[in-house]
Amino acid sequence: MTSRRSDPRHTGRRAAPGVVEAVAPGSDARDVDRGEAPDADASDAEASEAPDAPDVEQRQWRVDAPAHGQRIDRVLATLAGEFSRNHLQSVIAQGHVQLDGAVVQAASRRVRAGQLLQVALWPTAQALAFRPEPIALAVVFEDEHLLVLDKPAGLVVHPAAGNWSGTLLNGLLAHHAAAAMLPRAGIVHRLDKDTSGLMVVAKTLPAMTALVRAIAAREVQRIYQALVHGVPAWSGLAIDAPIGRDPRLRTRMAVVPGGKPARTDVVCLARGAVAAGLRCTLHSGRTHQIRVHLAARGHPLVGDALYGGEPAFGLQRQALHAVQLGFAHPIGGQRVTFHSSLPADLASAWRAALKD
């Protein structure tokens, strides 16, 4: 898509110097290892009425082929990534979105390639959170196209209710100014706040487009190590179970009929008296996928209170670390693979839990 922005001063983002191309990622790219509870960025507090000018900012994009047929609220949530989807649905409901000059009546409206998408936006807490902050980033690899980071536990990836500052996104905006031109500052997948390990972040729109498509096509290898309660009788298994929102508690996900397809391959690496160390390979990227799948099998992560895993072995956070990340370089095409050792807290818990 092409984009023109009239006044970025209310969002904390730089104005585009000209035409910017973008692509609306598919659902998988927005549903990978999120750093907050499901829909935490869809706060009702964001659904406010539009203020008077000059607080309203006018933006427009030309719909391109990858976005053809998508819901307009999903397309906007990608292009205007500093605004929650809930807020953007409110913008649509109030008549502030047009396609080819006609007011859009419903958030479920599907867009077509070539249409002109115009929207009036106003500041929200989430939008104002898109500001650079000097946050130390553990850079594993960097070139002009992408960053590979080793995220520490406790760092939220994306601003959301309760975490409007101090996030990885804020650090990316400070690390390289061009991140302000990208949807979600180039973030193509997320890790939960208390999950540590490897992440890839795009630095250019072509790289972001390629990485999003690779994730959607299951071409990105993501391997985790997990410490779980209980000792499995099996040495390995494939958990192929759909994941959706837990009907009893909205902040959790669960294995539910009609959920989104999800598969995790699991291998038992080591057994202790009351715990086990596992290797988990993702074949999809649903919210909290590994945590949900293992809990559903009776082996919740150590320290994962949300899914029934008690703190143990000196560990207070969930025992999950992204140890390996592999993908085809989005521009050069060569296969690249990165590895990360267990951080000190997890390594210590691993030794304590699995000693003879």
Side-chain angles (χ1 to χ4, degrees):
M1 295 186 181
T2 58
S3 165
R4 293 185 184 276
R5 299 178 183 176
S6 61
D7 185 359
R9 66 180 181 274
H10 300 294
T11 65
R13 304 179 75 182
R14 297 191 308 144
V19 176
V20 179
E21 295 180 356
V23 60
S27 59
D28 267 16
R30 293 181 57 80
D31 196 27
V32 175
D33 307 323
R34 296 175 67 85
E36 56 279 327
D39 288 349
D41 61 343
S43 168
D44 288 338
E46 296 290 336
S48 57
E49 293 184 1
D52 295 331
D55 290 326
V56 174
E57 176 192 354
Q58 303 292 331
R59 300 189 194 178
Q60 67 178 34
W61 298 269
R62 184 70 64 178
V63 178
D64 66 1
H68 180 83
Q70 292 194 32
R71 286 173 55 114
I72 194 167
D73 59 342
R74 182 178 294 280
V75 172
L76 283 173
T78 298
L79 295 172
E82 72 272 36
F83 294 92
S84 74
R85 190 167 173 183
N86 191 63
H87 175 73
L88 293 168
Q89 289 171 343
S90 176
V91 171
I92 294 168
Q94 295 180 49
H96 297 294
V97 177
Q98 297 182 21
L99 275 175
D100 289 339
V103 174
V104 174
Q105 302 293 331
S108 59
R109 172 77 177 273
R110 304 281 175 169
V111 301
R112 301 192 309 273
Q115 287 183 305
L116 181 64
L117 173 58
Q118 297 170 295
V119 58
L121 295 168
W122 53 93
T124 66
Q126 178 167 323
L128 294 172
F130 273 56
R131 297 182 184 278
E133 295 179 30
I135 295 171
L137 302 177
V139 178
V140 175
F141 172 83
E142 180 174 12
D143 63 14
E144 64 269 36
H145 306 292
L146 58 85
L147 278 165
V148 175
L149 306 172
D150 200 338
K151 187 189 86 68
L155 179 63
V156 173
V157 171
H158 194 281
N163 294 287
W164 294 123
S165 63
T167 71
L168 176 64
L169 181 144
N170 297 117
L172 290 171
L173 291 172
H175 182 76
H176 63 112
M181 308 309 242
L182 301 174
R184 300 179 307 283
I187 295 170
V188 296
H189 70 122
R190 308 187 197 181
L191 296 178
D192 294 332
K193 175 183 176 181
D194 289 329
T195 296
S196 53
L198 296 169
M199 289 181 58
V200 60
V201 178
K203 292 178 65 176
T204 66
L205 281 163
M208 187 171 192
T209 299
L211 287 170
V212 164
R213 289 173 176 167
I215 290 172
R218 314 287 196 263
E219 295 170 351
V220 175
Q221 181 191 56
R222 290 164 289 164
I223 299 177
Y224 296 71
Q225 279 186 222
L227 185 64
V228 300
H229 289 286
V231 183
W234 39 262
S235 59
L237 79 164
I239 305 175
D240 197 343
I243 290 177
R245 192 180 311 283
D246 189 327
R248 296 169 298 180
L249 184 61
R250 286 183 56 84
T251 56
R252 300 196 335 168
M253 305 299 283
V255 172
V256 294
K260 295 180 179 179
R263 176 180 167 180
T264 308
D265 289 348
V266 185
V267 174
C268 185
L269 299 176
R271 293 177 172 85
V274 294
L278 308 179
R279 183 178 72 227
C280 304
T281 302
L282 287 177
H283 291 275
S284 51
R286 307 306 177 195
T287 301
H288 300 173
Q289 178 173 319
I290 292 174
R291 300 165 64 187
V292 171
H293 273 171
L294 293 178
R297 287 286 179 150
H299 297 288
L301 294 174
V302 170
D304 189 0
L306 184 62
Y307 293 102
E310 296 297 324
F313 313 111
L315 194 65
Q316 297 298 313
R317 55 104 164 186
Q318 63 207 31
L320 189 62
H321 182 72
V323 296
Q324 185 169 318
L325 179 67
F327 52 89
H329 191 283
I331 305 302
Q334 70 275 21
R335 188 74 186 177
V336 291
T337 302
F338 303 94
H339 302 270
S340 172
S341 301
L342 292 178
D345 62 341
L346 276 184
S348 176
W350 190 279
R351 290 191 297 269
L354 304 177
K355 65 182 179 181
D356 295 332

